Amino acid sequence: ETGVTQSPTHLIKTRGQQVTLRCSSQSGHNTVSWYQQALGQGPQFIFQYYREEENGRGNFPPRFSGLQFPNYSSELNVNALELDDSALYLCASSHGAENSPLHFGNGTRLTVT
Amino acid sequence: GDSVTQMEGPVTLSEEAFLTINCTYTATGYPSLFWYVQYPGEGLQLLLKATKADDKGSNKGFEATYRKETTSFHLEKGSVQVSDSAVYFCALSDPTGGGNKLTFGTGTQLKVEL
């Protein structure tokens, strides 16, 4: 069983640039969620995709957007990067049923300078 | 809105000591409760969960009981090992809002020394 994989593992961008982070969900999972984890903090929910449709969004501005593909992999796009966007971005997949366990990837560490 | 509060760390213990990490929550509905563990450089791993009041979740010697009357889900282990050193996150999932969104606490770092 292949787990959740994220790429790249580390990324450095300049303020104002755009970034795309990628996630391959665990085999058999049809739901993908994205979380932002600032240093020393708990993960904060960004949004969730179920069968290619956004299915819940946290308190993040529209410059955070996403996609889910037919194979259930996903992308997180962030436009007009700000210094405060520096964080670990975690992707998690699940079966999609309520309260089904989330399986997390190891994350992408984004640094904005 | 939903929130989770957990004790601040770091918590430093000697090997074989008893561990308690406190967690309390606020939710509008009837949430499920979780403990996740994060080892250095890795993502989060589900440690245990409980889906209704009075349920006890357990795994790898860790336990937590869903207490609705005190809105708590404290994590306990009778005898910690050096390999338990990690950051522990308490989280809730409230289906009232739809989807499968988790609300996390800020995490508690545990350091176990020989």
Side-chain angles (χ1 to χ4, degrees):
Chain A
E1 182 180 82
T2 306
V4 177
T5 58
Q6 294 186 241
S7 62
T9 55
H10 296 82
L11 199 53
I12 300 174
K13 288 286 189 178
T14 303
R15 190 171 50 184
Q17 287 187 316
Q18 178 267 344
V19 70
T20 298
L21 309 182
R22 295 179 173 81
C23 172
S24 293
S25 59
Q26 185 164 314
S27 176
H29 289 180
N30 57 15
T31 300
V32 172
S33 305
W34 286 91
Y35 288 78
Q36 180 195 67
Q37 185 180 14
L39 197 61
Q41 300 297 314
Q44 298 289 316
F45 176 72
I46 303 175
F47 43 55
Q48 181 179 83
Y49 280 83
Y50 173 67
R51 295 185 176 179
E52 303 178 59
E53 297 287 332
E54 189 178 287
N55 181 34
R57 187 178 181 94
N59 189 26
F60 280 81
R63 59 189 185 83
F64 285 78
S65 63
L67 282 174
Q68 188 180 29
F69 300 100
N71 66 354
Y72 303 129
S73 65
S74 177
E75 287 182 354
L76 165 65
N77 298 290
V78 187
N79 293 323
L81 284 166
E82 301 177 359
L83 297 180
D84 285 348
D85 296 333
S86 296
L88 180 67
Y89 288 84
L90 294 166
C91 171
S93 71
S94 63
H95 285 286
E98 285 181 1
N99 298 324
S100 63
L102 299 186
H103 296 256
F104 285 84
N106 287 343
T108 294
R109 172 72 62 187
L110 173 65
T111 303
V112 182
T113 62
Chain B
D2 298 341
S3 67
V4 175
T5 302
Q6 53 183 114
M7 61 189 287
E8 290 193 16
V11 173
T12 303
L13 296 173
S14 298
E15 201 171 43
E16 298 184 2
F18 184 85
L19 168 71
T20 300
I21 300 178
N22 291 336
C23 171
T24 58
Y25 68 89
T26 302
T28 53
Y30 298 93
S32 294
L33 301 174
F34 305 83
W35 277 100
Y36 280 82
V37 58
Q38 187 174 35
Y39 297 100
E42 298 185 11
L44 283 77
Q45 300 176 24
L46 177 64
L47 182 59
L48 53 85
K49 69 174 184 178
T51 58
K52 61 182 187 297
D54 299 325
D55 269 2
K56 177 186 283 188
S58 62
N59 185 28
K60 299 181 181 178
F62 291 89
E63 293 184 340
T65 302
Y66 189 141
R67 301 287 187 200
K68 188 168 181 287
E69 63 276 14
T70 55
T71 62
S72 65
F73 193 56
H74 304 321
L75 181 68
E76 296 182 336
K77 187 176 185 182
S79 176
V80 294
Q81 306 299 312
V82 172
S83 57
D84 294 327
S85 298
V87 181
Y88 292 80
F89 292 93
C90 184
L92 69 82
S93 174
D94 188 346
T96 306
N100 198 13
K101 164 193 169 184
L102 287 177
T103 299
F104 286 90
T106 55
T108 302
Q109 184 177 13
L110 170 65
K111 297 179 181 179
V112 181
E113 301 172 336
L114 289 171

